[in-house]
Amino acid sequence: MTKQEFKASILQGIPSELPSKKTYPEAGNPAPKRKDILSKEEKKLAVQNALRYFPEAWHAELAKEFAEELQTYGRIYMHRFKPSYAMHARPISEYPSKTEQAAAIMLMIQNNLDPAVAQHPEELITYGGNGAVFQNWAQYLLTMKYLAEMTEEQTLHMYSGHPMGLFPSSKEAPRVVVTNGMMIPNYSKPDDWEKFNALGVTQYGQMTAGSYMYIGPQGIVHGTAITVMNAFRKVLEKNDFPKGKVFLTAGLGGMSGAQPKAGNIAECITVCAEVNPEAAKKRHQQGWVDELIEDMDTLVSRTKQAIANNETVSLAYIGNVVEVWERFFEEEIFVHLGSDQTSLHNPWAGGYYPVGLSFDEANTLMVQNPSAFKEKVQESLRRQIDAINKHTEKGTYFFDYGNAFLLEVSRAGGDVMADNGIDFKYPSYVQDILGPMCFDYGFGPFRWVCTSGNPKDLQKTDAIALEVMKNIKAEAPEEIQQQMQDNIKWIAEAEQNKLVVGSQARILYADAEGRSKIAEAFNNAIAEGKISAPVVLGRDHHDVSGTDSPFRETSNIYDGSKFTADMAIHNVIGDSFRGATWVSIHNGGGVGWGEVINGGFGMVLDGSEEASVRLKRMLFYDVNNGISRRSWARNKEALFAIKREMDRTPDLKVTLPHIVESDILDNLF
C-alpha cells in the first residue's frame, strides 16, 4: 500500500462498501475465549450494540457474523473490518492530519497494535490478556478518522474505546480525553467486566494499553531491572554481586516477557517459566531470553551449571512454575530472589494456568467448565505458595511483583498471611523496593517516543538525557545518588541492550527535576533542528502520582488511605489543564479490575515556546501531586522530597503532617 493509499484509508473511516469476510490468520495469537456470561436477550443486545456502527443495509449479514463471533470468542471484535495495511508506527509525516498532535496520537495507537508489540493484535489487546486499545475494529477506524480531521480547537472524547466524538474546545485543551472501565463502584467485580465488555459498553484498558502509551516490553524491563538490582542489594553482602545467583519467576507474556532481559541487565541467572510455548518462543526470537528449555532435568542441570560457572544468563522453561519451585527445592538449588508475574489480575480467563494440565487442556477446561477450572487454579496457587514457603525458610527473598499473586493466594486459602491475620507474610515490591527507594522521592517511569521513526533521533535523545542526568547528579543530595547512578547506567547502556520493539522509544526513571530538564533539552533540540521531528513524552501509569493501587503502587501508604483514589483523579484532571496533549483514567490495571484506579498522559514536544511552557507546568505537577500525597501519609522519603521541592519552588505550598510519638497513642484504647 502506498503512502497516499494509507492516508486515504485512514480518512475513509468505516468503509463505504462492506468488505469481504476475513479468515482468522493462522499465525495469529488469539486471545483466550471469554466466559459465556450473557443471557440470550443480552446476546441480542450485544449484537444490536455492535451494529450501531454500520448502515442498516449491512445489518442482516453482519448480525449473523457478529453473533458467531460472540459465540466463538466471547466478544464481538469485528475481524472483517481490520484494515488491510500493515499495523506499525509510521513516521509522523505519513499520517493525514490537521495538527501534529493528532498525528502523534495516531502513531502511538498503531504502535500499541503492532504485532511485534501487541500480545493479541487481532483482538486489539496489547498486553495482560485483556489490556485493550479498543473493543473492536470499528472503533479503531472511527478514532483514526476523527484524529485525521481534528483541528487544534477540538477534543476527541473516548468512552472505553468508543469515540464519542469531536467536541469544540481550545488550543490549550487536551486533544484527547480517554476513560476506560469507569464503572459505578458496585459494578466493578470481575464478572461485571466480563458482562459489560461482552455487551460492548466498556473495556479494560490496563494501564498504558488503553491510553496509547505502551512502548513494548522496554518499559517493564527497566522497572524490573531496577527492582531486581535493588532486591539483590537487600539480600547480598555489600561487596557481593548477582552473578551466579538465581532469580526464579514466571511469565513471558506482554509485560512479564521483560523479566529475562531485566535479569541479564542485573547480571544474575534468571529462570522464568512460561506455559504458553508461543509466548516463550516469541521472546527467544526477539532476543529477550537466552535459552529455551522444555525438559525439567535439563533445566536443573543447566541451572546448576550456571551457578557453578558464576554466569549471567536467562533460561526460559516451557512448563509450569509450580513444578520448578518444587523440583529446585528437592535438588537443593538455592533461589536468592523469587517472584511471579503471571497475569493473576485475570485468574479465571487465561491469566494463570494451573499445574497438572497442559496449556491446551487448561484452555479447554476454562471455557467448558469454569468452576472446575477455578478449583484447579486455586489448588495450584496453594501448591505454589507451599513450595515458595519452603524456599523462604532457607533464606529466599520472595516479593509480590504487583500482579495480585499474594491476593489470589489468600483468596485460595493458601498459607500466605502474616501472624496478625491481616497482612501478607511477603512484601510487595513497592513496599520494600520501589516505594521507599523511588516513588517517594519522585522517581518513576518517564518515557519518550521519537516520531520520526529514525534511530538516529533516538540516539540523540539518549545522549541529551545522559548529559542532563550527569549534571543533576553532580549537585544531587546523598539520598538520591543511587537512583541517579542506576539510571545513568541504564541510559548509557540502553542502545547496546537492544531494547527497542516497535517505535523508537526510551524509558528511564527520573524525578520532576529530571523530567522537566530532559524535556526542555529535547524541545530545544527540536527547535534547533538537531532532532528531526516532534517527540512524544509520557510515562507508565505505574508511577509516583498516577495510580491508586492498594496492592501495588500505593501499598506503602500506611495512614489508612491506600484504598482511596483521590490522587489518580486529581492527577488526570490536573494534567489536563496544565498542558497534556492527551489524558486518560482507567479502572483496573496490573492487579485487576476493581482493584485500582490509574491515570496517564501524553505530551507532544514540537520545539515551540508553547511546548516549553506546557512541559514545565505539567511535568512538575504530575510528579509532585504524588509526592505530596505520600508525604501526608508520613512517608519519610516523601517528606524529604517535598520539603526540598518547596525550597526550590516558592509558589509550592503543601500541607505537611505533624509526626505523633507512638507512646502518646499506646494506652489510649
Side-chain angles (χ1 to χ4, degrees):
M1 180 178 285
T2 67
K3 293 178 182 179
Q4 288 306 313
E5 288 172 334
F6 170 72
K7 288 183 178 182
S9 181
I10 294 290
L11 288 166
Q12 178 179 235
I14 302 292
S16 56
E17 295 183 6
L18 183 62
S20 59
K21 187 176 180 181
K22 293 181 173 68
T23 57
Y24 198 93
E26 291 184 9
N29 180 28
K33 181 180 178 182
R34 307 305 182 183
K35 186 183 294 187
D36 186 4
I37 199 169
L38 300 183
S39 68
K40 183 177 179 180
E41 290 304 310
E42 288 169 335
K43 287 177 180 177
K44 290 181 182 179
L45 180 59
V47 173
Q48 184 182 22
N49 288 342
L51 291 173
R52 287 182 288 190
Y53 290 102
F54 308 104
E56 292 178 10
W58 299 356
H59 285 186
E61 181 174 352
L62 291 180
K64 294 178 182 178
E65 183 176 321
F66 291 167
E68 182 183 344
E69 279 195 4
L70 188 59
Q71 290 296 107
T72 304
Y73 303 110
R75 297 292 187 270
I76 299 172
Y77 296 114
M78 307 180 185
H79 286 127
R80 177 194 292 252
F81 292 93
K82 182 185 177 184
S84 59
Y85 51 73
M87 191 67 66
H88 60 87
R90 292 159 169 78
I92 192 170
S93 59
E94 294 186 17
Y95 292 93
S97 66
K98 296 178 181 178
T99 166
E100 278 190 323
Q101 293 182 337
I105 297 169
M106 285 190 273
L107 181 157
M108 299 298 289
I109 287 172
Q110 289 204 309
N111 188 64
N112 270 23
L113 295 172
D114 183 341
V117 174
Q119 183 182 20
H120 305 301
E122 300 297 321
E123 291 80 23
L124 303 108
I125 290 171
T126 302
Y127 60 81
N130 54 13
V133 188
F134 301 99
Q135 297 176 59
N136 56 60
W137 286 104
Q139 292 178 347
Y140 166 84
L141 294 173
L142 275 176
T143 299
M144 296 294 279
K145 176 178 172 63
Y146 279 137
L147 289 168
E149 297 172 343
M150 171 189 290
T151 72
E152 289 188 338
E153 295 188 342
Q154 289 176 305
T155 294
L156 176 60
H157 288 262
M158 300 294 299
Y159 280 42
S160 286
H162 169 65
M164 187 57 70
L166 288 171
F167 291 81
S169 58
S170 69
K171 191 174 182 180
E172 290 73 33
R175 297 281 67 82
V176 181
V177 175
V178 180
T179 58
N180 282 300
M182 300 309 293
M183 305 298 292
I184 303 300
N186 281 349
Y187 298 87
S188 204
K189 297 291 189 293
D191 273 357
D192 293 320
W193 172 71
E194 295 281 1
K195 176 180 178 178
F196 293 109
N197 189 222
L199 284 173
V201 295
T202 195
Q203 74 173 11
Y204 198 114
Q206 274 278 356
M207 301 185 107
T208 51
S211 60
Y212 326 139
M213 192 46 71
Y214 190 59
I215 58 169
Q218 178 182 171
I220 191 65
V221 168
H222 182 263
T224 306
I226 292 289
T227 299
V228 172
M229 284 192 293
N230 282 301
F232 273 117
R233 287 174 183 143
K234 290 179 70 70
V235 301
L236 298 180
E237 297 294 329
K238 187 173 182 180
N239 295 320
D240 200 358
F241 298 96
K243 282 190 176 182
K245 314 295 193 302
V246 174
F247 168 44
L248 173 56
T249 185
L252 286 170
M255 297 292 281
S256 56
Q259 294 179 105
K261 173 74 81 171
N264 282 359
I265 292 170
E267 300 185 337
C268 64
I269 301 166
T270 305
V271 177
C272 190
E274 170 57 60
V275 295
N276 183 347
E278 293 306 314
K281 291 173 184 175
K282 180 178 180 179
R283 294 304 174 207
H284 185 246
Q285 289 165 0
Q286 289 176 332
W288 289 64
V289 64
D290 296 327
E291 300 175 26
L292 286 180
I293 298 174
E294 299 187 43
D295 173 76
M296 180 65 76
D297 291 339
T298 303
L299 178 67
V300 168
S301 62
R302 181 67 184 94
T303 303
K304 288 182 176 180
Q305 179 188 43
I307 294 170
N309 294 337
N310 229 27
E311 292 183 48
T312 293
V313 67
S314 53
L315 310 175
Y317 173 64
I318 302 177
N320 199 291
V321 74
V322 178
E323 295 171 328
V324 181
W325 280 108
E326 292 174 342
R327 184 67 181 275
F328 275 23
F329 184 79
E330 293 171 7
E331 297 285 344
E332 297 185 344
I333 295 175
F334 184 71
V335 176
H336 280 80
L337 300 184
S339 193
D340 187 284
Q341 210 178 123
T342 52
S343 297
L344 269 162
H345 65 278
N346 185 30
W348 323 127
Y352 180 93
Y353 285 81
V355 67
L357 296 176
S358 71
F359 182 62
D360 291 337
E361 288 170 344
N363 279 326
T364 300
L365 185 64
M366 188 191 310
V367 175
Q368 295 183 354
N369 194 339
S371 60
F373 180 77
K374 181 176 181 178
E375 289 178 12
K376 288 285 188 184
V377 166
Q378 293 194 319
E379 177 187 330
S380 185
L381 287 169
R382 291 191 294 270
R383 187 168 151 186
Q384 183 171 345
I385 199 65
D386 287 345
I388 289 168
N389 288 340
K390 291 179 181 178
H391 281 270
T392 59
E393 287 171 3
K394 296 176 66 176
T396 296
Y397 173 65
F398 183 86
F399 58 91
D400 185 299
Y401 201 22
N403 64 333
F405 175 77
L406 297 179
L407 181 64
E408 288 302 331
V409 169
S410 70
R411 289 169 173 169
D415 180 13
V416 74
M417 303 308 295
D419 291 339
N420 62 14
I422 299 171
D423 301 315
F424 298 130
K425 67 169 67 175
Y426 303 116
S428 92
Y429 74 115
V430 172
Q431 286 175 295
D432 254 18
I433 302 167
L434 282 194
M437 299 179 74
C438 293
F439 292 168
D440 284 352
Y441 285 118
F443 285 82
F446 178 58
R447 59 181 61 178
W448 62 88
V449 175
C450 297
T451 66
S452 65
N454 188 338
K456 291 183 178 179
D457 277 343
L458 185 60
Q459 291 170 358
K460 291 172 186 174
T461 61
D462 284 348
I464 290 169
L466 182 60
E467 181 181 6
V468 169
M469 293 178 69
K470 285 181 176 179
N471 290 338
I472 294 174
K473 183 179 183 294
E475 303 293 330
E478 180 62 31
E479 287 84 350
I480 62 172
Q481 284 288 324
Q482 185 66 66
Q483 292 90 326
M484 295 300 304
Q485 184 54 45
D486 283 348
N487 283 282
I488 287 170
K489 180 179 186 294
W490 165 269
I491 204 72
E493 298 174 358
E495 186 175 1
Q496 71 188 53
N497 283 324
K498 298 179 181 178
L499 298 160
V500 170
V501 177
S503 59
Q504 293 295 315
R506 187 69 74 224
I507 186 171
L508 57 78
Y509 269 39
D511 61 5
E513 179 186 13
R515 298 182 205 202
S516 295
K517 288 182 175 178
I518 290 169
E520 179 73 1
F522 288 172
N523 200 54
N524 291 339
I526 296 166
E528 296 165 4
K530 295 176 181 176
I531 297 174
S532 66
V535 170
V536 173
L537 300 182
R539 58 161 169 75
D540 195 338
H541 300 203
H542 170 63
D543 195 14
V544 181
S545 180
T547 296
D548 284 298
S549 179
F551 299 108
R552 197 163 81 175
E553 284 80 1
T554 45
S555 60
N556 70 320
I557 299 290
Y558 300 110
D559 68 350
S561 71
K562 69 179 181 179
F563 294 98
T564 66
D566 300 82
M567 180 177 72
I569 300 301
H570 275 275
N571 180 262
V572 71
I573 294 172
D575 284 359
S576 71
F577 64 78
R578 286 182 172 88
T581 306
W582 72 98
V583 291
S584 62
I585 189 77
H586 304 176
N587 169 21
V591 295
W593 179 264
E595 302 286 359
V596 50
I597 300 293
N598 64 86
F601 76 87
M603 173 177 277
V604 178
L605 301 181
D606 59 6
S608 66
E609 180 58 33
E610 181 186 42
S612 177
V613 172
R614 284 173 175 250
L615 73 87
K616 291 169 186 171
R617 286 189 316 216
M618 201 221 74
L619 293 175
F620 179 88
Y621 175 77
D622 187 67
V623 174
N624 283 295
N625 168 49
I627 299 176
S628 300
R629 185 268 178 97
R630 292 168 183 277
S631 70
W632 184 240
R634 298 184 289 271
N635 293 19
K636 66 177 184 178
E637 295 86 358
L639 276 165
F640 166 84
I642 203 64
K643 288 176 182 177
R644 179 171 175 249
E645 194 60 77
M646 283 194 284
D647 287 341
R648 293 188 300 190
T649 312
D651 286 347
L652 177 66
K653 300 184 186 301
V654 171
T655 307
L656 298 177
H658 294 280
I659 307 301
V660 181
E661 295 295 332
S662 59
D663 58 357
I664 293 176
L665 307 173
D666 287 343
N667 299 313
L668 289 178
F669 304 102

